[in-house]
Amino acid sequence: MSRGVPLDRPGDLPSWFEPLLNRVAESRAEDFSMLRRPVGAGGRASAVLVLLGESPPAVDTPGGPDLLILQRAATMRNHAGQPAFPGGATDPEDADAVATALREADEEVGLDPSSAVPLALLPELWIPVSRFSVTPVLAWWRRPHPVHPRQATEVAHVARLPISELADPANRIRVRHPSGWIGPAFQVRGLLVWGFTAGVISVLLDMAGWARSWERGRVVDLPDAAAPVPAARGGAPDEVVP
């Protein structure tokens, strides 16, 4: 049974992080997904970076914790056009899941690995469609800096989504895939976040105590599953997120 693994906890960690870390340390794979890798199915090890930072108050936002999300390029073979966490397959030279997640975030959006503090490994999760065995790495963006798509063939857009907007009931829906699968989703700042990424976000909102009551009966059919998920705010290849 896969469980969460806490890492070092720095003394200057924001207080809003504490409840989430306490819950993640006790989490199981079943808390995030009922999908299990079939015996003998193989699959490729991978990792994603679940990077939480903190934005200062601005004219259009009260500030507070936010989450780094990228949108996959529409030309990709797998997960084309979908918002996702930075991450990808493990390379032979990667020491562990943390190394994979930080390397991929650097390659995809120019994240300085030293600016992020890994705090916990979430349970390993299975994604049947891509046959990846994924370890989400929960991290604190201690020193946020501008990021942008570094590989236009893989990343179309980068955004820091405020937790307050992800938790806003008006932005939460469920989506129905043409296969009949129904899962949580978020409509935030022109992005439709669904699938694996939305599932992890939904659980983390609950664990951190950030979730608010929302109407689960709002179900929206996904566009053609073979087409990119539309995003009203596409972003240019050289777009920079401060």
Side-chain angles (χ1 to χ4, degrees):
M1 179 184 298
S2 179
R3 291 182 176 273
V5 179
L7 304 175
D8 291 338
R9 188 177 301 195
D12 57 345
L13 191 69
S15 59
W16 49 260
F17 231 128
E18 296 291 340
L20 176 57
L21 282 181
N22 292 336
R23 286 292 305 279
V24 165
E26 303 172 353
S27 66
R28 304 171 303 165
E30 290 79 3
D31 296 325
F32 292 88
S33 173
M34 298 307 294
L35 297 175
R36 294 290 168 269
R37 179 170 55 188
V39 176
R44 187 170 183 184
S46 63
V48 296
L49 187 66
V50 184
L51 186 61
L52 288 165
E54 186 167 21
S55 298
V59 175
D60 59 344
T61 177
D66 57 37
L67 179 64
L68 184 69
I69 291 290
L70 58 82
Q71 185 178 26
R72 298 290 179 197
T75 54
M76 290 193 67
R77 182 175 59 183
N78 293 321
H79 310 297
Q82 288 188 28
F85 302 117
T90 299
D91 281 353
E93 62 270 22
D94 293 337
D96 50 26
V98 170
T100 297
L102 292 176
R103 174 185 55 76
E104 285 283 341
D106 180 16
E107 294 175 358
E108 292 179 330
V109 304
L111 178 81
D112 176 2
S114 69
S115 71
V117 181
L119 298 172
L121 303 181
L122 274 59
E124 188 178 88
L125 305 173
W126 173 245
I127 303 182
V129 66
S130 57
R131 300 180 63 81
F132 277 172
S133 184
V134 184
T135 299
V137 178
L138 181 63
W140 170 38
W141 205 359
R142 175 185 264 158
R143 297 190 306 277
H145 60 84
V147 290
H148 64 281
R150 291 188 66 182
Q151 301 178 26
T153 57
E154 294 189 10
V155 180
H157 174 56
V158 187
R160 293 177 65 178
L161 302 182
I163 293 298
S164 61
E165 294 184 22
L166 289 167
D168 187 339
N171 295 333
R172 301 198 65 173
I173 59 173
R174 293 197 299 159
V175 293
R176 181 187 295 109
H177 191 275
S179 67
W181 172 89
I182 296 177
F186 302 84
Q187 292 176 312
V188 179
R189 302 198 171 193
L191 295 174
L192 174 60
V193 185
W194 64 284
F196 171 85
T197 304
V200 171
I201 293 173
S202 181
V203 173
L204 294 180
L205 290 179
D206 289 337
M207 288 185 171
W210 294 329
R212 298 161 56 187
S213 178
W214 57 285
E215 179 50 62
R216 298 173 189 271
R218 294 175 59 204
V219 179
V220 175
D221 288 332
L222 278 173
D224 183 349
V229 177
R233 183 167 173 255
D238 60 349
E239 180 175 3
V240 172
V241 177

